[in-house]
Amino acid sequence: MWRENNLWLHYVKNIIAADVTAAVFLASYLRHSRMSKNYASSLEIIDLQKYKVITQENKVRIALRERTNIPFVFVVGKN
């Protein structure tokens, strides 16, 4: 799968991939997750003002909509 001399290219919309097919796949996956709003299940919100970690998907969506402009509220990806 991986060859030794790969060159990573920077495509539009901040996609970095080794070849065109990987970049197209990543762009289509990102578009699909944005349109279906499946990304909220892979995020959590750390709110240092309320000393809370929000992990429930519906509350994450609400916090993304309402609380991300407030200082000390961070969006973190679950890995």
Side-chain angles (χ1 to χ4, degrees):
M1 181 173 161
W2 289 100
R3 286 174 255 151
E4 192 167 319
N5 295 326
N6 276 338
L7 178 64
W8 291 86
L9 299 173
H10 189 202
Y11 295 96
V12 294
K13 296 185 180 182
N14 293 326
I15 293 177
I16 299 173
D19 56 357
V20 176
T21 57
V24 168
F25 174 76
L26 182 58
S28 65
Y29 175 74
L30 289 173
R31 183 179 184 281
H32 171 71
S33 74
R34 189 175 349 131
M35 297 297 283
S36 62
K37 296 185 180 180
N38 288 336
Y39 57 87
S41 63
S42 64
L43 297 176
E44 60 186 14
I45 308 293
I46 298 176
D47 190 349
L48 295 179
Q49 290 188 350
K50 292 186 175 182
Y51 299 105
K52 289 176 74 176
V53 177
I54 303 169
T55 58
Q56 295 176 353
E57 186 175 348
N58 57 349
K59 290 185 180 182
V60 168
R61 284 192 184 132
I62 293 169
L64 283 172
R65 191 172 50 241
E66 297 174 357
R67 300 200 48 86
T68 55
N69 295 331
I70 299 173
F72 302 108
V73 175
F74 303 102
V75 180
V76 179
K78 294 180 190 176
N79 267 340

